[in-house]
Amino acid sequence: MRKLEKMKKRVMIEASVAGGIVLVAVGVLAFAMHLTSIHSDEMTVAKNALQAERVKLEDLNKQIEKTGISSQVYEEVVGRKANLNFALDRTALRSVLSQLKGRYRLSYLAMEVSPAEKFSNKELEALSIEAMQMRVKLNVSGMSDTHIYSFLQDMQQALPGLIKPVIVTLKRDRKFDMEALTQIKAGNTLPMVSGVIEFMWYGFKPPVEEPNAG
Amino acid sequence: MIQAARAARSSRPAKRGGAVPAPSATPDKPPFTLDTIKEKIQSLSSFTIGSKQFILFIGDEGAVLVLIQSGRISRRLYAPSPAPEHVHPFLELLRVNSGVPISVMLDVMDQSYVRHTFPPVSVFGIKKLVERRLDRDFSSEDIRGSMLIGRDSEGRKEWNYLLISVANSSMIQQWTETIFELPNRMLGMYLIPIEAQNFIVDLAKLCSPTPAIKAMWRLMVCHDKVSGYRQVVLKDNQLVFTRLTAATSDMAPDVMAAAIEQEILSTIEYLRRLSYNDQAGLEVFVIIADEVKPLIKNDRINATSMKCLSPFEVAEMMKLEQAALSGDRFADVVIASHFGMGTKRRLRLLPPYAQKLTVLYQSSFALKVATAVLLLGLVYAVVMEFFNAADVKININRAIRDKETATEEIAKAERSLSGLGAMQGEVLNVATLYGGVLQKRPLPLDFVKAMGKVVNDNRLVRSLDWRFESEAAAKARTPKTPAPQPEQAAQPEQAVEQFIVKVEVKLSGHGGDRKNFINLAYRLIGDMKAAFPNYEVEHDPLPGTTTNEESLKLIFDESGSDEYLEDNHAVVVLHVKGPKPALAEQPATPKDD
């Protein structure tokens, strides 16, 4: 009977040892899983940080790209304009028109300007400064349509901001006959062609609002 | 039904001939039962490849202990009784080899074999029936067991079992108590008549591999030191009869031969009651001392064949190394060696105490196997987890490196951006404003420039009305609206805005002829369409022409005044609208060639 007891004891010891070994193995496994878990958390943090950096880099690259494109567009605008001021300035409008009236010997030039208004559309959402618009109507008479077209072209270049003509109507008022030729030779500004030019005047809000001289 | 076969001492025949009744159906392969699985598991748990094994051959006259090591007999000891003074060498050898398991072979007189038929219950229920029968037929003190002989293939398909009992005599108890308390594991107790079946079959194959006449009956007589003359009879390789006769070793060879012949003849007499006849064929194997061999004659026995072999010859034939020496007279060691080196076990018996020990051994084995499997799984999981952790760590390092690279690139990009200086903001704003209000939009001067290719000295533009279509629509609503339309202006710009132009062109060079004028007018219209391919170019009805919807009044006279057109009336009114929406993505400038 002693052997039976011994065997029981032995099996118990074996079970204990086996349990201990298994427990140790489970512990090691738990430790390994814990390590993996910690590393997984670290990896999540690292990946998030990497993602954030990538997003930032992407934004910057977009900005660089946009700046590159913008630079091209800006060069196109600069190529078309003599005045690189983009703030809407009625004084400048008056001055430029006055100059151009003389240059193109316009017999008549009158303007109506609407109040400045804020302007926006989907494409202008990226602006960092407020865009403004005014509608300008010019009644004009000149010696020829060529004078008036040249006046219009110079005006687009010389005025600050951007000009978008929306209506141009011209009408030949009289024949180019001997009498007209005589008068022109005499230095008179004969109204041969008259018309209306309406345009939208776009630009930025001036830094300091000046009193309207017009 | 029940036929007890209790071996007889000396020449006394066993009760009712000592026969083990042959089953009605004798399949070579016993049917599969739950016991089969259990035996397989037990044999697996006690499996010892190439290792040592003790065989303790116990008889009424003592015991032989055989140590088998690496397929050969390493040691053999004899003890006449289980008395401490006799078993001391046994215990010493066992103590030295305490980890070597022991199998006990019993060749004692007091054994019972009862064939019993059980009703055709399921394989799950037969075990209980057998157990119940064993409890009823045998004493609880006995060492009992059962062996499935077969199952009827026809009729009720009853189970045929051989119920076996060995009296747990004081001698056996002494032996078992001695063995059980040893540290060596006892694998089981086996009965010589049962296990000798394998021995006889193997011996028959070796003695006559291709017999001329296949004998139905086989009889083996062996002289065992610890028990006496053991006779085992097989019919169709199934145990049908066994007898044990005590023998004295100091008999003269001729007397011993005569005694053996007489025992065989007595056995044959019993066999005749079990349907034995001379025509069925009988092979007789006698394992006896070398000097007795030639004295045993087949004349009286009249067997089909008769082989008398010494233990040494048997060991040589069966390649049982060191199982017998040339002078050995007894078969105990040879039979024990054959059993120990073989793998087949017919029936294992276990006393209750040994059963408990076996359960504990099996529990220990199962525990070890389970622990090993679990440990393997855990080690695998741990290794995989560490690999996983290492992989994650590598990914972290990679992410950190990538982040550092990205940070460097960010720094570069920031430097590039800062290099653009203060102009950057204004450049962006101007470009954005230009893109938002002017870029890709048609302008009147572009139209005028294109018109310049069409007009000449004979085509004088009398008036021009250029306006965006939105302005035309506004004009249609309110003729005079110099003020801007904020909500309209604030609408998202189309990809390309359309404009509408009305041009009045006065033609000259027609000489007042209507037909000439019309030709010139259509040429002008054609030129306009060519100059503005992406625009709709239309014209008002030409002067001097009417449509079918208008009334027509003419005076035909010889002066031909009906063909005359006044100079002031030679005007073509053109309407240009565009660019066409399908071409909206293209630059909105007219053809300029």
Side-chain angles (χ1 to χ4, degrees):
Chain A
M1 294 302 283
R2 280 186 299 132
K3 188 176 179 182
L4 194 66
E5 294 304 319
K6 275 185 187 173
M7 271 305 295
K8 280 181 184 172
K9 200 173 172 182
R10 185 178 140 185
V11 171
M12 293 291 286
I13 291 167
E14 282 175 356
S16 307
V17 171
I21 291 169
V22 169
L23 272 178
V24 169
V26 168
V28 174
L29 178 62
F31 174 69
M33 289 171 82
H34 178 65
L35 271 185
T36 310
S37 170
I38 290 171
H39 287 167
S40 295
D41 292 345
E42 281 178 21
M43 189 170 75
T44 307
V45 170
K47 278 193 172 175
N48 287 343
L50 175 63
Q51 186 62 24
E53 292 289 271
R54 279 180 176 162
V55 168
K56 193 176 173 185
L57 181 62
E58 197 177 335
D59 287 348
L60 286 170
N61 283 334
K62 275 182 186 170
Q63 278 187 43
I64 290 169
E65 191 184 351
K66 196 174 176 183
T67 306
I69 294 167
S70 298
S71 297
Q72 287 177 2
V73 175
Y74 185 77
E75 281 170 17
E76 186 184 332
V77 175
V78 167
R80 289 184 176 197
K81 285 191 66 65
N83 186 343
L84 293 180
N85 184 10
F86 288 89
L88 293 187
D89 180 1
R90 283 188 178 182
T91 311
L93 173 66
R94 188 172 175 173
S95 166
V96 167
L97 290 179
S98 177
Q99 284 176 19
L100 292 177
K101 181 177 181 293
R103 184 182 299 167
Y104 293 101
R105 300 174 67 188
L106 300 179
S107 54
Y108 180 78
L109 179 63
M111 73 171 183
E112 293 176 44
V113 185
S114 74
E117 288 186 341
K118 289 179 189 173
F119 172 73
S120 183
N121 62 26
K122 201 174 180 181
E123 291 170 71
L124 301 183
E125 283 173 0
L127 283 175
S128 62
I129 187 170
E130 220 165 54
M132 306 295 289
Q133 69 171 7
M134 292 183 201
R135 189 177 179 104
V136 180
K137 181 180 179 182
L138 302 177
N139 288 296
V140 60
S141 293
M143 285 190 290
S144 72
D145 54 353
T146 308
H147 282 79
I148 293 173
Y149 292 140
S150 300
F151 162 76
L152 175 58
Q153 188 163 9
D154 269 11
M155 183 183 72
Q156 286 180 354
Q157 291 179 356
L159 277 177
L162 297 171
I163 305 296
K164 179 186 174 187
V166 292
I167 296 173
V168 176
T169 60
L170 294 180
K171 192 179 78 178
R172 197 172 296 277
D173 291 330
R174 59 175 293 176
K175 280 184 179 177
F176 190 76
D177 50 13
M178 287 305 293
E179 185 191 341
L181 186 62
T182 308
Q183 291 227 15
I184 288 166
K185 279 182 178 175
N188 294 326
T189 54
L190 196 64
M192 297 287 289
V193 177
S194 66
V196 175
I197 298 170
E198 286 186 41
F199 62 87
M200 299 305 299
W201 190 26
Y202 298 106
F204 303 123
K205 193 176 177 180
V208 180
E209 199 72 49
E210 291 178 3
N212 194 344
Chain B
M1 182 70 184
I2 302 169
Q3 298 178 26
R6 195 166 291 260
R9 184 177 289 276
S10 184
S11 59
R12 181 170 56 89
K15 188 181 176 183
R16 297 194 63 184
V20 176
S24 55
T26 55
D28 290 338
K29 203 173 180 182
F32 186 81
T33 63
L34 291 178
D35 289 343
T36 316
I37 303 169
K38 195 178 169 186
E39 280 167 17
K40 293 281 178 196
I41 294 168
Q42 284 169 348
S43 64
L44 189 70
S45 67
S46 58
F47 194 58
T48 48
I49 298 172
S51 59
K52 298 176 181 179
Q53 187 183 182
F54 280 115
I55 309 290
L56 181 63
F57 198 111
I58 299 173
D60 294 311
E61 305 299 331
V64 172
L65 180 68
V66 176
L67 173 62
I68 300 170
Q69 187 174 5
S70 305
R72 57 186 295 175
I73 304 301
S74 172
R75 292 287 300 276
R76 51 182 181 172
L77 298 171
Y78 168 74
S81 77
E85 64 274 18
H86 291 148
V87 297
H88 179 72
F90 279 25
L91 298 179
E92 190 60 29
L93 184 61
L94 289 163
R95 190 187 60 77
V96 172
N97 299 281
S98 59
V100 180
I102 311 174
S103 296
V104 176
M105 300 191 80
L106 290 176
D107 193 21
V108 292
M109 197 71 70
D110 209 359
Q111 298 180 32
S112 292
Y113 296 86
V114 180
R115 182 190 166 217
H116 196 87
T117 304
F118 291 96
V121 295
S122 70
V123 289
F124 301 102
I126 187 66
K127 190 173 182 291
K128 278 187 179 177
L129 279 181
V130 173
E131 290 288 335
R132 212 175 297 153
R133 194 74 204 184
L134 284 169
D135 288 343
R136 207 175 73 181
D137 288 359
F138 302 110
S139 163
S140 60
E141 299 297 319
D142 291 350
I143 300 165
R144 302 173 305 183
S146 61
M147 192 170 74
L148 177 67
I149 301 170
R151 195 173 183 185
D152 293 345
S153 55
E154 292 175 355
R156 293 183 61 205
K157 295 187 178 177
E158 291 174 322
W159 296 96
N160 295 309
Y161 267 84
L162 191 62
L163 307 183
I164 300 153
S165 165
V166 180
N168 199 3
S169 63
S170 60
M171 183 268 295
I172 290 178
Q173 280 180 30
Q174 273 182 287
W175 279 114
T176 52
E177 280 169 13
T178 307
I179 294 162
F180 288 162
E181 293 307 325
L182 290 171
N184 306 64
R185 180 182 175 187
M186 201 201 70
L187 298 178
M189 302 175 86
Y190 303 89
L191 303 177
I192 289 296
I194 299 289
E195 304 303 329
Q197 292 176 77
N198 298 333
F199 183 82
I200 296 168
V201 171
D202 290 348
L203 188 63
K205 279 180 191 167
L206 290 169
C207 286
S208 50
T210 51
I213 301 168
K214 192 182 177 186
M216 187 186 287
W217 299 79
R218 281 175 179 152
L219 188 153
M220 182 191 78
V221 184
C222 58
H223 187 190
D224 295 335
K225 185 178 178 68
V226 297
S227 49
Y229 299 125
R230 166 59 73 181
Q231 293 181 72
V232 179
V233 183
L234 307 183
K235 182 186 176 188
D236 291 329
N237 294 334
Q238 292 285 322
L239 176 68
V240 291
F241 184 85
T242 182
R243 288 180 69 214
L244 179 63
T245 314
T248 49
S249 55
D250 52 354
M251 288 169 108
D254 54 342
V255 177
M256 196 179 284
I260 289 169
E261 282 179 13
Q262 187 54 48
E263 287 301 324
I264 292 171
L265 287 169
S266 302
T267 299
I268 289 172
E269 281 308 309
Y270 289 123
L271 294 181
R272 290 189 194 285
R273 299 174 198 171
L274 299 174
S275 72
Y276 170 78
N277 59 62
D278 296 334
Q279 286 73 36
L282 172 68
E283 279 183 285
V284 178
F285 304 97
V286 183
I287 304 171
I288 196 75
D290 207 27
E291 65 272 19
V292 185
K293 254 177 30 180
L295 304 174
I296 300 171
K297 304 293 181 193
N298 192 19
D299 301 343
R300 291 170 62 200
I301 298 165
N302 201 23
T304 311
S305 72
M306 184 165 171
K307 300 279 183 191
C308 294
L309 303 162
S310 68
F312 179 73
E313 286 171 332
V314 174
E316 288 291 303
M317 284 171 72
M318 293 188 160
K319 295 184 172 55
L320 304 171
E321 284 186 57
Q322 304 292 328
L325 303 176
S326 57
D328 279 355
R329 303 174 63 208
F330 303 105
D332 318 49
V333 179
V334 174
I335 292 172
S337 301
H338 180 268
F339 173 82
M341 291 178 198
T343 53
K344 283 183 187 173
R345 301 287 184 267
R346 294 256 176 175
L347 175 66
R348 186 171 79 145
L349 300 176
L350 281 174
Y353 184 75
Q355 278 180 13
K356 287 177 187 171
L357 280 174
T358 302
V359 167
L360 286 172
Y361 275 117
Q362 286 172 351
S363 303
S364 171
F365 178 75
L367 191 66
K368 284 170 189 164
V369 170
T371 307
V373 170
L374 197 61
L375 212 56
L376 273 177
L378 284 168
V379 166
Y380 175 77
V382 167
V383 169
M384 293 310 293
E385 203 61 42
F386 273 117
F387 273 123
N388 197 13
D391 197 35
V392 171
K393 189 72 184 167
I394 289 167
N395 283 336
I396 290 169
N397 291 337
R398 191 178 297 149
I400 289 169
R401 278 200 306 275
D402 289 352
K403 182 179 170 286
E404 284 168 359
T405 310
T407 307
E408 284 171 15
E409 287 177 10
I410 285 169
K412 276 184 197 169
E414 282 174 343
R415 278 198 298 276
S416 300
L417 276 173
S418 63
L420 290 170
M423 281 297 285
Q424 182 194 338
E426 187 174 335
V427 167
L428 283 172
N429 285 334
V430 169
T432 306
L433 183 66
Y434 179 72
V437 299
L438 271 186
Q439 199 176 27
K440 293 184 182 175
R441 285 169 177 80
L443 294 173
L445 290 179
D446 296 328
F447 177 82
V448 169
K449 192 178 172 186
M451 273 293 291
K453 307 284 182 184
V454 177
V455 297
N456 53 36
D457 290 345
N458 291 325
R459 292 170 176 175
L460 184 67
V461 176
R462 216 165 69 170
S463 73
L464 178 137
D465 184 344
W466 185 103
R467 62 185 66 220
F468 278 115
E469 193 181 21
S470 55
E471 296 294 331
K475 187 186 176 188
R477 287 195 299 273
T478 50
K480 276 200 168 183
T481 48
Q485 308 290 319
E487 64 281 356
Q488 188 183 356
Q491 280 176 356
E493 300 282 342
Q494 288 180 343
V496 175
E497 287 183 271
Q498 288 192 319
F499 64 82
I500 297 169
V501 188
K502 181 184 175 187
V503 192
E504 288 182 12
V505 182
K506 184 173 177 295
L507 297 179
S508 54
H510 49 77
D513 186 84
R514 192 179 63 83
K515 284 180 182 171
N516 284 344
F517 165 74
I518 287 171
N519 284 337
L520 291 172
Y522 278 116
R523 201 173 295 164
L524 169 67
I525 292 163
D527 288 347
M528 279 295 284
K529 285 183 177 176
F532 297 95
N534 300 329
Y535 293 75
E536 290 175 20
V537 179
E538 291 173 351
H539 61 91
D540 286 353
L542 297 174
T545 61
T546 56
T547 64
N548 287 338
E549 284 74 33
E550 293 175 287
S551 58
L552 176 64
K553 185 180 177 183
L554 274 177
I555 300 169
F556 297 93
D557 56 19
E558 290 182 357
S559 66
S561 61
D562 57 307
E563 292 297 324
Y564 179 73
L565 186 71
E566 284 186 18
D567 189 47
N568 282 344
H569 291 168
V571 175
V572 179
V573 179
L574 294 161
H575 299 273
V576 181
K577 183 180 176 184
K580 289 174 183 172
L583 301 155
E585 292 301 320
Q586 294 181 2
T589 50
K591 189 177 178 182
D592 187 9
D593 50 14

